[in-house]
Amino acid sequence: MKSDAAAGPELRRVHPASMLFFLAKGIKEMYGMLPLLPLLVLWVPRATGLDVSRVVLGALLGGLGLAALLAAAWLRWRRFGYAVEAGSIRIEQGVWSRRTVWIQQERIQSVDTRQNLAERALGLLQLRIETAGGGEKAEAVLPSLSAAEAARLQRLLGYAEAGPDEGGEADRWNEPSAGADDGLRRAGAAPVPIGARGGEGDAPIAGESRSGEGDAPMAISARDGGDDAPMPGDARVLGDGGLMAAPGAERQSLPSESAAPAAARRTGEPVVQRRIRPSDLLGYALTSYRTGIVFLLLAGLLSRAADSGWLRGIDLRDEMERLFGAYAIAAATGLLLVAAWLLTALQLLNSNWGFRLERRGRKLHVERGLLEKKRQTIDISRIQALELAQPLLHRPLGWVAVRAFIAGNADEKERHLLLFPVLKRAEAEAFLRGFAPAFALPADWSRVERSAWSAYAGWPALFALLPAAAGWIWIPDPYRWLTALVPAAVLVYGTLEHRHAAWALEGGQLSLRLGALIRSELLLPGGRIQWHRRTQSPMQRLRGRASLTVSIATGKGARAFRLRHAPHAAVQQLLRQLSWRPRRGSESTAAAQRMKRPHEERIEH
């Protein structure tokens, strides 16, 4: 909602360092006008007849543009303010036209913080507020806040634990605005604190009180109180980089323990925490599948640079042949792979440095980053599905990455949020009990039939022989043999996909196991599935098979998952169970009530 502000709590102003943020924003907005600068340098002397050096004129115009950007950044800072009202946060901004935005608390999906190197040096950070349907960017960004002010706002919006210092003195730059020329609307009322809970995000999650089976390395509480059960006594850290739990719960023998933060004692909420071990982070960075993607990007960039004349006077092919002779291509490929491997490892180390996942009651806090420190806060009820991803190189090590599909996760470049980058597959069940108790790994998987291998790998490999034969005819030696790799790669890929394909339906949760190079175990609660459908081609009808597609909602639109070439009877049974509706007045479990979703069938001819 955008309109003129009504009387309300006094607006607070952000730190003056936020002018750098507004300056960068202004430069980005004016980036498209940079080509006008050389045109003005050429046009002004001709239009005015003045004998002015182009260098001096260019410097003068550039200085005027920079001065205008600095003035605009100062005005934006002066006219930017925010206030927390009852049930919402109000943000006013704008230089020439005033814009006021109200964001209702129940529409907020996450309240995250970010901190780059400059902000870290000043002890400041950014607060980013995302809402349902907020689009590709965060709905609101509050730059250059002190840590105390950011924590205060998170508490008022219900995305951080309450502390004894709430309502205390904020830093001098986050106090209410003063002065007659700032253009901000003010009133005498003080900000109204919002309760720490409320809105649809606090709806109970069925199955969260399930204790699970097996040897769990932690327990949240000895009482069956669910997520909001009080934690008796002090919380504890269990093991190196492991989980944090209450001492009053059922305990296992663990190597080491230490006291938990005092916030757990203040709030009485269950606290679970896990940090990544440095050795695991290093192994994760050095074995990432993204190396192949970076390799292709580097190869394309290098080819473009050679063709465009960027490397003038250098013939890359001649230089490689002079250095390595007949092994020039192999050497160039190896050098690019090493460069891609190092770049990928450095990027992953930077983005996941100090990775820490913490659960406080119904909130999950994800903190990570070296050069830019990020802290994301989400409500557990916003998790639409979980994915346990296991790339090919991580499979022998028994590592998996846990990803969450979040409603309103619009600021992420991908459609999922990384809950934890790497942990042992044997620890996954305990991890879910601690951080996402509404989800559980299936006890048994139903795999697709062996005869479905031809649909996954056999027929695609035969079809891949056609382009391979054309390449064998037209591609000269010594690269002709590369065409034989095409059907071989298709065959291996399809075989892996067939081996992994499986499904399970237990306790109202649909589990799918998909993928080839990256094996994904998807945990989809029935109540989170937006739609599902059955498709059946003529060939599948002859073989008695069908495909099942299910979709969930994420911040960037729907995300669909497809189980291919499963037995038709099994797909029909899944459709009936996912679409079952209890009769009015009948007694049923909460899990069955959550599975009320329509389904559609589409038969391909």
Side-chain angles (χ1 to χ4, degrees):
M1 176 180 179
K2 301 180 180 180
S3 64
D4 293 335
E10 285 190 86
L11 293 173
R12 293 174 176 259
R13 185 177 294 151
V14 294
H15 194 276
S18 62
M19 286 187 284
L20 296 176
F21 171 82
F22 292 123
L23 177 62
K25 187 176 181 180
I27 293 175
K28 185 178 180 180
E29 293 172 350
M30 302 295 291
Y31 182 77
M33 301 183 64
L34 287 180
L36 294 178
L37 183 60
L39 294 178
L40 290 175
V41 171
L42 296 175
W43 176 78
V44 169
R46 296 181 181 180
T48 60
L50 298 176
D51 187 13
V52 182
S53 172
R54 293 179 179 178
V55 176
V56 174
L57 183 59
L60 179 61
L61 292 176
L64 291 176
L66 181 60
L69 289 173
L70 289 173
W74 182 82
L75 287 174
R76 284 184 170 184
W77 169 70
R78 291 287 296 179
R79 296 177 66 81
F80 186 96
Y82 64 93
V84 178
E85 302 175 348
S88 66
I89 181 171
R90 173 166 56 97
I91 300 173
E92 294 189 19
Q93 57 185 318
V95 177
W96 307 114
S97 60
R98 300 291 294 156
R99 292 187 299 126
T100 304
V101 180
W102 283 270
I103 301 177
Q104 300 297 323
Q105 182 189 9
E106 62 269 15
R107 301 301 299 167
I108 295 176
Q109 300 282 10
S110 65
V111 181
D112 309 331
T113 61
R114 290 190 179 184
Q115 188 180 47
N116 55 36
L117 288 177
E119 290 168 333
R120 194 178 308 175
L122 297 173
L124 304 172
L125 46 80
Q126 290 184 24
L127 192 72
R128 306 172 69 88
I129 302 174
E130 295 181 3
T131 62
E136 296 291 326
K137 299 180 180 180
E139 187 71 16
V141 178
L142 301 179
S144 303
L145 297 177
S146 67
E149 177 65 8
R152 185 188 74 90
L153 291 177
Q154 287 180 314
R155 287 195 299 268
L156 294 180
L157 297 175
Y159 278 81
E161 71 281 356
D165 57 343
E166 184 167 336
E169 183 179 0
D171 63 85
R172 60 188 294 263
W173 294 112
N174 294 129
E175 292 177 349
S177 305
D181 58 346
D182 57 2
L184 298 178
R185 189 180 301 272
R186 296 180 293 275
V192 181
I194 298 176
R197 300 181 182 276
E200 64 176 311
D202 287 321
I205 303 176
E208 283 191 349
S209 61
R210 181 179 63 246
S211 60
E213 298 177 357
D215 296 332
M218 54 75 64
I220 295 180
S221 175
R223 305 173 185 175
D224 295 328
D227 277 346
D228 299 323
M231 184 196 312
D234 296 344
R236 303 283 181 179
V237 177
L238 305 184
D240 179 20
L243 300 173
M244 183 181 290
E250 297 179 2
R251 301 281 298 277
Q252 308 289 334
S253 297
L254 293 167
S256 62
E257 296 183 353
S258 61
R265 298 191 293 268
R266 291 199 308 264
T267 62
E269 293 183 335
V271 177
V272 190
Q273 185 182 90
R274 187 183 183 100
R275 296 176 182 270
I276 191 170
R277 299 180 181 91
S279 58
D280 290 346
L281 178 58
L282 182 61
Y284 167 72
L286 296 179
T287 57
S288 174
Y289 67 92
R290 298 182 184 180
T291 300
I293 301 174
V294 177
F295 169 78
L296 294 177
L297 292 176
L298 289 178
L301 182 62
L302 193 61
S303 176
R304 179 64 182 273
D307 295 340
S308 302
W310 296 348
L311 305 175
R312 296 180 180 179
I314 301 177
D315 192 327
L316 292 179
R317 183 171 180 178
D318 290 344
E319 290 294 328
M320 294 300 296
E321 289 180 352
R322 182 179 63 84
L323 294 174
F324 301 100
Y327 302 99
I329 295 180
T333 303
L335 289 175
L336 281 179
L337 278 175
V338 171
W341 177 60
L342 290 176
L343 288 175
T344 304
L346 291 175
Q347 189 273 330
L348 291 175
L349 287 173
N350 172 59
S351 59
N352 295 290
W353 186 266
F355 198 104
R356 182 171 67 92
L357 175 64
E358 181 180 272
R359 177 190 171 199
R360 293 183 180 273
R362 301 182 61 84
K363 296 295 189 294
L364 288 178
H365 306 277
V366 181
E367 185 176 311
R368 58 174 176 162
L370 180 61
L371 297 181
E372 183 181 29
K373 197 173 187 65
K374 298 180 181 180
R375 181 178 173 88
Q376 297 170 283
T377 303
I378 60 173
D379 195 294
I380 292 180
S381 63
R382 302 297 184 188
I383 300 179
Q384 305 297 301
L386 284 184
E387 177 187 18
L388 274 66
Q390 195 172 35
L392 190 62
L393 294 178
H394 290 177
R395 218 162 296 163
L397 302 173
W399 288 348
V400 295
V402 184
R403 303 167 180 170
F405 296 91
I406 308 294
N409 189 38
D411 191 54
E412 290 292 310
K413 295 180 180 179
E414 302 178 3
R415 292 186 177 184
H416 61 256
L417 172 68
L418 185 63
L419 281 188
F420 211 75
V422 57
L423 75 156
K424 291 290 186 180
R425 178 62 175 77
E427 302 174 357
E429 186 66 41
F431 180 90
L432 294 180
R433 284 199 297 269
F435 297 101
F439 299 84
L441 294 176
D444 190 24
W445 291 95
S446 300
R447 299 181 58 182
V448 298
E449 301 169 335
R450 291 187 178 182
S451 58
W453 176 86
S454 59
Y456 276 95
W459 287 108
L462 288 177
F463 291 138
L465 289 174
L466 297 177
W472 186 270
I473 295 173
W474 294 104
I475 297 178
D477 288 330
Y479 310 109
R480 180 179 297 174
W481 61 271
L482 293 174
T483 59
L485 297 178
V486 176
V490 173
L491 185 66
V492 172
Y493 186 90
T495 301
L496 290 175
E497 189 177 13
H498 171 260
R499 181 181 298 176
H500 298 158
W503 73 93
L505 184 60
E506 299 176 359
Q509 174 188 282
L510 175 64
S511 302
L512 298 177
R513 193 172 68 192
L514 308 171
L517 300 179
I518 302 177
R519 182 173 64 187
S520 298
E521 298 179 34
L522 299 161
L523 310 179
L524 310 162
R528 300 298 188 182
I529 296 177
Q530 300 295 309
W531 55 261
H532 47 277
R533 65 167 176 248
R534 174 185 69 96
T535 57
Q536 190 177 40
S537 66
M539 185 63 69
Q540 286 179 324
R541 195 178 307 116
L542 291 175
R543 299 286 185 177
R545 303 191 190 106
S547 298
L548 174 68
T549 305
V550 296
S551 176
I552 59 173
T554 63
K556 293 187 176 182
R559 178 71 186 270
F561 308 98
R562 190 182 187 193
L563 175 67
R564 302 190 301 127
H565 307 299
H568 181 262
V571 173
Q572 286 291 86
Q573 184 180 5
L574 289 176
L575 288 175
R576 286 194 297 268
Q577 293 180 350
L578 291 173
S579 306
W580 180 78
R581 291 183 174 91
R583 294 182 179 179
R584 184 182 300 273
S586 64
E587 296 182 0
S588 59
T589 63
Q593 292 177 352
R594 296 202 321 268
M595 294 195 309
K596 298 190 282 185
R597 288 290 185 275
H599 82 275
E600 55 183 281
E601 291 189 8
R602 184 179 69 188
I603 300 178
E604 299 176 351
H605 297 281

